[in-house]
Amino acid sequence: MKCTYACQSAEHLLARRSFLGGMAAGVGAVVGGLGALARPALSDQLVKEQKRIIVVNMHGGLSQLESWDPKPGTDTGGPFRAIPTSVPGLQISELLPETAKVMHHLAVVRSINTAEGDHGKGAYMMLTGRRQTPAAEFPQIGAVAAKSLAADRAGLPGHIRITPGGGGGRGNDSAYLGPQFASVALDNGKAPANSARPANVSEQADGQRQDFRRKANDHFASKRRTAMTDAYTSNYEQGLQLMQQNHVFDLTKEPEKDHDRYGKHDFGRHCLLARRLVEHGIAFVQVSHSNYDTHNENFNFHFEQMGEFDKPFATLVTDLADRGLLKHTLIVVLSEFGRTPNINQYYGRDHWGNAWSVVLGGCRVQPGAVIGKTNANGTAVSDRQVDHANLFHTYLQATGVDSLGSFDIGGRQLPIADPASSPIKELLV
Amino acid sequence: MPTDPTKAHVASQWAHTSPLIACRFDPLNRFVFSTAEDNTIQRWKLDSGEKIAFTAHDSWVFALAVTANGETLLSAGGDGRLVWWPVATEKPEPIRKVEAHQGWIRAVTLSPDGSLIATVGNDQIVKVWSTADGTLVRQMSGHENQIYSALFHPTGQFLLSGDLLGIVCQWEVATGNLVRKFEAKELHSYNGGQGVHFGGVRSMAFNPQTQHFSCGGLYKSENPLGAVLEPLVNVYEWESQKLVQSQIAEGIKGPLWRIVNHPESYLIGACGGNSGGFLLFWRPDQNKEFHRFQLPNLVRDLDLSSDGIQIATIHFDKHLRITRLEAKAEAKT
């Protein structure tokens, strides 16, 4: 697949390949569960509360200066102005007028220093909370959420990525948590690949086929039952349940007026689908908006991209709040890094991990909070520096997961988040 | 004496303290105006390079125009504000400020008789103003994306507005009616992988006989976010709208920020991108340039002096440069 990033980063080619698995392996592996969580009592409580996470991934590296930390009138500020928000004293870019109205539901962390300017490494850090090393692979936030927050929610996957297009099937993002917590990608918002009964197989024939499979399984299991055969059987049943709940992914069941409110472009549809999925109990949904890798004409492209992002995102936040879901749903807007304060010769901004921003809200996140500061022209963090590991802890703590705890994987205690780091406690209530 | 672009040379250059964005000559050739990323406008004396700042905008100033009598400067930019200035004053204060558009104004142009000003920008609306008193004469809607450029027909009867999608609307100035559209779609692309529209009609020009109408910008934008693209001018026969020439510059990467037609019937383009900064010169009947002049730094705008001999360019390296289209004067011995 052709890399869509301006800098032609090879990491994206590899990452995209992982999307291409099929539901043949996919639905069979869709199993939620909490058996391996080190503190099952807490897990049970979380499951009961049905906490959820929506991550909006601004692919390519959103400019903090054209979004959450504008610096108008400075040598790095660019041409866009800052506007007031629903939080007194908090200003964001004029490119986000609708989001400005809902900032009292959200919080901004303006003091991120990940010191990483590589797309692949930055994305890995922001989604796993760890720096990539050859020695170990770590699960992404979606896999951790699926394992920690999702009960066996009637066969639905706990970790979903809505991709802008060009990918379906399973990701390889669950590391040691196993494939059952790997993401299921919804290619441009479509239902999981191969999750509908083929048109040339009647319901009756399908039922007979499943009955035959069960009888064969039972016969085999009566003499040669193992944990592996149980897993296969369970996976097939889970896959079947997913097929029976295919309507969960059917956006046509949402009212037409909501399609209008969110906008009839891909990102609007994907935000509406995210709402639908969390309303149906999906633990983790990642929506992507692409692409912000604006080495060239940063201001034209941010005008275009932020213009598309603003209304659907604000509508999603509003709906989650109005429906009482924001108490149970963490929403995070992140990127792999920010963009350079320095404006290059092409009116572009380049990769910058040293002083940038993330927005989050819901669950235990303090509404309207502003954490940290950058200096006058945004070239450095000047107060309360945090990094990817702090944020990863914070996301989990916001949903009630003890990020300082461990997963019990085959008897090994594996820290859920970087044990050397900690959450941004003042951001949580 | 006719010009000779093949003898083009930088005759003078002056540095500001911030990268520059746009420039225009005073038609009386006393001054050049430039704008910068520090939100200011600079007036440079052509004979000495002496500089004065004009300050009234809260954003970058993308567009300048000077009335033919050399009395009034118009500026407009990212704050949506249109500002009238006295050109030659020693203590610049705005004559008038109008909150003209929602968001960026990208282009300002004056009617041939100087009585009307047209502005366009990100709100997709074309607005026509009275130069004399700043009142809104009329506004026209019809574009479906950001409008990048505007130009009056030399007769003053029509106004052209060109947008990001490569659409040029021809408006009747007296009524505001849409007469017809040019579709310069070669100047626009949509990159599905990056999810972005790119290109647009960055600049327009009529040839001296007004039988040809040119639209400048970029094409071959394989990687819009990474600045991989090439310059392109579409030349149309004005009456028939027939595309008569696609003018390119092989091997040069970068967009055309502005095109102007020289009275001696060649087109000049300011190209600034991956390959650096160039002035490109095309004959009307040729698709490849007859001369390219490389400037010391990436160029972002140009203007042609009323005497036809000087080109002002502004650059990322904070310099205003004056290029003369003639041989260098021989040094006195």
Side-chain angles (χ1 to χ4, degrees):
Chain A
M1 178 172 293
K2 188 176 178 184
C3 175
T4 57
Y5 285 75
C7 55
Q8 303 291 325
S9 161
E11 285 84 351
H12 298 301
L13 296 172
L14 296 171
R16 288 292 184 112
R17 282 185 198 132
S18 68
F19 287 19
L20 299 175
M23 276 303 287
V27 294
V30 176
V31 185
L34 296 155
L37 195 65
R39 300 182 183 194
L42 178 59
S43 303
D44 290 345
Q45 185 190 340
L46 294 176
V47 169
K48 198 173 174 182
E49 290 177 355
Q50 294 241 320
K51 298 295 185 192
R52 308 158 178 94
I53 299 175
I54 296 174
V55 164
V56 182
N57 190 347
M58 312 292 264
H59 269 293
L62 171 67
S63 169
Q64 68 283 0
L65 294 142
E66 276 67 59
S67 55
W68 315 119
D69 194 11
K71 303 287 184 182
T74 70
D75 60 334
T76 60
F80 294 114
R81 293 169 294 174
I83 55 172
T85 69
S86 55
V87 177
L90 173 62
Q91 295 199 323
I92 61 174
S93 170
E94 65 175 325
L95 295 176
L96 296 165
E98 298 301 321
T99 302
K101 297 173 188 168
V102 300
M103 285 305 290
H104 58 287
H105 294 303
L106 302 170
V108 190
V109 180
R110 283 176 162 168
S111 51
I112 302 168
N113 183 357
T114 48
E116 181 56 65
D118 177 88
H119 284 295
K121 290 175 182 172
Y124 187 91
M125 290 162 68
M126 290 303 292
L127 293 173
T128 66
R130 320 284 183 110
R131 191 168 276 281
Q132 206 164 10
T133 72
E137 279 288 322
F138 295 101
Q140 289 191 5
I141 181 71
V144 174
K147 186 170 179 63
S148 306
L149 305 177
D152 182 2
R153 291 184 186 170
L156 291 170
H159 180 189
I160 285 182
R161 284 191 305 178
I162 304 171
T163 63
R170 305 304 301 263
N172 59 352
D173 39 25
S174 54
Y176 54 74
L177 295 181
Q180 65 268 43
F181 299 110
S183 62
V184 172
L186 308 186
D187 176 11
N188 199 20
K190 294 196 286 280
N194 305 320
S195 63
R197 177 167 46 81
N200 60 352
V201 178
S202 69
E203 192 172 350
Q204 185 184 14
D206 194 38
Q208 289 171 340
R209 194 170 63 156
Q210 298 299 341
D211 286 346
F212 178 73
R213 176 180 60 78
R214 289 189 185 103
K215 283 177 184 166
N217 275 350
D218 290 346
H219 179 70
F220 189 86
S222 67
K223 295 177 180 173
R224 302 174 65 181
R225 183 178 178 184
T226 65
M228 191 172 287
T229 61
D230 280 355
Y232 277 124
T233 301
S234 171
N235 287 349
Y236 266 99
E237 291 303 323
Q238 294 279 352
L240 194 59
Q241 289 180 48
L242 171 62
M243 293 173 75
Q244 288 164 349
Q245 296 190 74
N246 204 258
H247 66 279
V248 168
F249 306 97
D250 185 358
L251 208 51
T252 65
K253 298 194 181 307
E254 293 295 331
E256 186 60 24
K257 68 176 172 45
D258 282 352
H259 286 267
D260 291 338
R261 291 171 60 237
Y262 278 80
K264 293 187 174 177
H265 47 77
D266 286 351
F267 184 67
R269 290 190 299 104
H270 296 173
C271 284
L272 180 56
L273 181 58
R275 188 192 78 180
R276 180 173 175 83
L277 293 175
V278 297
E279 283 184 324
H280 282 82
I282 304 289
F284 180 92
V285 181
Q286 180 174 309
V287 179
S288 294
H289 195 224
S290 185
N291 190 287
Y292 290 89
D293 194 18
T294 50
H295 298 278
N296 180 47
E297 300 198 15
N298 172 76
F299 307 104
N300 282 338
F301 289 127
H302 271 76
F303 176 82
E304 188 175 340
Q305 302 289 46
M306 294 270 82
E308 187 172 86
F309 166 86
D310 183 40
K311 189 178 176 196
F313 175 71
T315 305
L316 176 62
V317 172
T318 300
D319 284 358
L320 293 177
D322 289 351
R323 296 171 183 217
L325 284 165
L326 207 51
K327 285 186 289 187
H328 306 289
T329 306
L330 175 73
I331 187 163
V332 181
V333 184
L334 55 74
S335 279
E336 56 264 52
F337 41 60
R339 304 211 75 81
T340 50
N342 181 50
I343 299 163
N344 71 25
Q345 61 184 339
Y346 311 122
Y347 294 115
R349 295 192 194 269
D350 302 310
H351 302 177
W352 182 250
N354 295 48
W356 58 288
S357 306
V358 157
V359 153
L360 62 167
C363 290
R364 290 182 58 209
V365 173
Q366 184 188 148
V370 180
I371 302 296
K373 287 181 185 170
T374 50
N375 63 6
N377 61 358
T379 55
V381 172
S382 59
D383 180 45
R384 187 53 170 120
Q385 180 168 296
V386 299
D387 67 9
H388 54 290
N390 299 121
L391 289 165
F392 197 81
H393 274 283
T394 306
Y395 304 151
L396 295 173
Q397 296 266 345
T399 55
V401 175
D402 179 6
S403 62
L404 299 170
S406 299
F407 289 120
D408 182 343
I409 306 295
R412 294 172 63 206
Q413 298 297 310
L414 297 172
I416 294 176
D418 183 352
S421 185
S422 58
I424 306 167
K425 286 183 180 167
E426 68 271 32
L427 182 55
L428 301 173
V429 291
Chain B
M1 194 169 105
T3 59
D4 184 354
T6 65
K7 299 286 195 305
H9 64 279
V10 175
S12 49
Q13 60 178 15
W14 302 296
H16 184 52
T17 52
S18 176
L20 301 177
I21 298 168
C23 63
R24 288 294 181 273
F25 275 105
D26 151 34
L28 305 185
N29 295 326
R30 299 162 295 174
F31 310 109
V32 183
F33 292 91
S34 61
T35 72
E37 290 182 12
D38 59 9
N39 297 354
T40 66
I41 302 162
Q42 302 79 46
R43 188 191 69 194
W44 308 82
K45 277 191 177 173
L46 258 176
D47 57 2
S48 65
E50 182 187 334
K51 179 179 72 171
I52 288 180
F54 288 42
T55 308
H57 286 278
D58 294 327
S59 176
W60 291 2
V61 178
F62 297 114
L64 296 170
V66 186
T67 55
N69 61 11
E71 290 183 0
T72 307
L73 167 72
L74 299 152
S75 63
D79 53 9
R81 194 173 295 153
L82 178 61
V83 181
W84 281 247
W85 305 87
V87 163
T89 180
E90 286 308 305
K91 291 185 178 176
E93 291 290 336
I95 300 166
R96 182 180 301 110
K97 298 181 192 176
V98 173
E99 304 301 325
H101 285 260
Q102 288 288 322
W104 289 12
I105 299 174
R106 289 180 180 264
V108 173
T109 188
L110 280 155
S111 62
D113 67 1
S115 65
L116 298 173
I117 303 160
T119 55
V120 297
N122 285 357
D123 62 6
Q124 307 174 18
I125 299 172
V126 180
K127 293 189 176 182
V128 179
W129 311 85
S130 162
T131 309
D133 61 15
T135 56
L136 180 65
V137 176
R138 61 183 50 84
Q139 62 182 38
M140 291 86 89
S141 298
H143 286 279
E144 295 177 355
N145 214 307
Q146 305 154 51
I147 311 176
Y148 276 19
S149 54
L151 180 71
F152 279 95
H153 186 272
T155 63
Q157 187 182 356
F158 303 112
L159 173 64
L160 289 307
S161 53
D163 69 22
L164 171 58
L165 303 180
I167 302 299
V168 176
C169 291
Q170 179 185 338
W171 310 94
E172 187 177 55
V173 174
T175 62
N177 291 336
L178 179 64
V179 179
R180 59 180 180 170
K181 292 183 179 180
F182 290 77
E183 296 194 352
K185 292 190 172 177
E186 298 82 359
L187 297 173
H188 163 260
S189 64
Y190 179 75
N191 186 306
Q194 296 180 341
V196 292
H197 292 276
F198 187 45
V201 181
R202 303 276 170 123
S203 179
M204 299 180 285
F206 283 96
N207 73 336
Q209 298 76 32
T210 69
Q211 86 269 34
H212 287 155
F213 167 62
S214 299
C215 300
L218 60 95
Y219 78 138
K220 290 190 178 177
S221 47
E222 297 161 13
N223 182 356
L225 301 183
V228 180
L229 49 102
E230 296 182 21
L232 175 68
V233 180
N234 272 3
V235 183
Y236 298 91
E237 197 172 71
W238 171 250
E239 291 298 333
S240 70
Q241 294 188 290
K242 181 184 172 189
L243 179 66
V244 293
Q245 201 62 257
S246 294
Q247 296 179 317
I248 59 172
E250 286 181 345
I252 289 183
K253 303 286 185 189
L256 286 168
W257 294 102
R258 192 176 185 220
I259 55 172
V260 294
N261 255 304
H262 194 279
E264 294 169 19
S265 291
Y266 56 83
L267 187 76
I268 310 168
C271 180
N274 267 337
S275 301
F278 289 89
L279 293 175
L280 303 171
F281 301 88
W282 288 277
R283 305 268 184 224
D285 57 345
Q286 296 171 349
N287 75 321
K288 292 176 186 171
E289 81 280 14
F290 70 89
H291 185 61
R292 61 176 67 173
F293 175 64
Q294 183 154 21
L295 290 154
N297 188 255
L298 187 143
V299 63
R300 290 173 159 183
D301 195 14
L302 73 75
D303 198 28
L304 180 65
S305 63
S306 58
D307 60 13
I309 200 74
Q310 302 175 95
I311 293 175
T313 51
I314 50 81
H315 300 261
F316 171 71
D317 70 358
K318 308 172 186 176
H319 280 77
L320 165 71
R321 293 188 169 89
I322 304 296
T323 297
R324 294 187 71 84
L325 300 175
E326 62 183 2
K328 284 184 184 176
E330 288 188 16
K332 291 178 182 174
T333 56

